[in-house]
Amino acid sequence: MEQFLETGKKVLASGIEIKYLADEFLFRQGQKAEFVFYLHCGSILLEWPNENKSLLIANKPIFIGIQEVLHAGKYACTAMTTEKSEFLVFDRAYFNQLITEFDHAKDYFESMMLEFTSQLDLQTVKV
């Protein structure tokens, strides 16, 4: 567990901080996944229009887009801020470099993907 904490600190220290205003899109469903986002503070609304589902994540640090970036895919949902928010952003090439550069990074990100998936399973609501 301590290894994960150390890896997490190293990873987060290497992200680029970007501030968004309310109602700004981070990405849209079907867009090529070029970035992983880490919600540092604020809130984000994730929507799956084809499935008529949405999830509001407020003031909960969480990674978004790991799976899509790792598989060089497209974003599965649309992500939009609902208030002023701060993110740490990692472009795809740099994110993949982090996985090889830091010990335990792959395991760390896999656990973060599982955490994100569990949030979806527990809190996603149909609108």
Side-chain angles (χ1 to χ4, degrees):
M1 185 66 169
E2 189 171 317
Q3 295 169 339
F4 271 12
L5 293 175
E6 283 302 311
T7 299
K9 287 178 187 177
K10 291 176 185 176
V11 166
L12 294 177
S14 61
I16 296 171
E17 185 176 310
I18 298 180
K19 295 179 182 184
Y20 288 82
L21 298 174
D23 302 322
E24 286 193 84
F25 287 95
L26 276 68
F27 53 82
R28 296 179 190 265
Q29 183 182 39
Q31 181 180 340
K32 185 177 179 182
E34 294 289 343
F35 301 96
V36 170
F37 296 86
Y38 177 79
L39 176 61
H40 182 64
C41 68
S43 63
I44 186 169
L45 179 65
L46 304 177
E47 295 183 309
W48 292 262
N50 298 342
E51 300 173 36
N52 203 27
K53 294 192 305 188
S54 65
L55 172 64
L56 177 66
I57 301 172
N59 297 312
K60 176 168 178 31
I62 195 163
F63 280 96
I64 302 162
I66 293 175
Q67 186 168 357
E68 293 94 334
V69 165
L70 285 178
H71 296 97
K74 296 181 179 184
Y75 292 113
C77 63
T78 295
M80 183 177 76
T81 58
T82 59
E83 64 183 358
K84 287 183 180 179
S85 302
E86 293 180 18
F87 293 85
L88 296 176
V89 181
F90 306 84
D91 73 46
R92 183 179 354 157
Y94 187 61
F95 183 78
N96 287 320
Q97 179 183 337
L98 289 175
I99 290 175
T100 59
E101 185 176 322
F102 294 127
D103 293 338
H104 311 290
K106 186 174 186 209
D107 294 335
Y108 172 76
F109 286 121
E110 285 176 359
S111 73
M112 295 299 104
M113 278 193 311
L114 289 174
E115 180 181 332
F116 179 74
T117 302
S118 70
Q119 288 292 317
L120 294 180
D121 293 342
L122 294 174
Q123 297 180 20
T124 305
V125 294
K126 293 198 180 236
V127 289

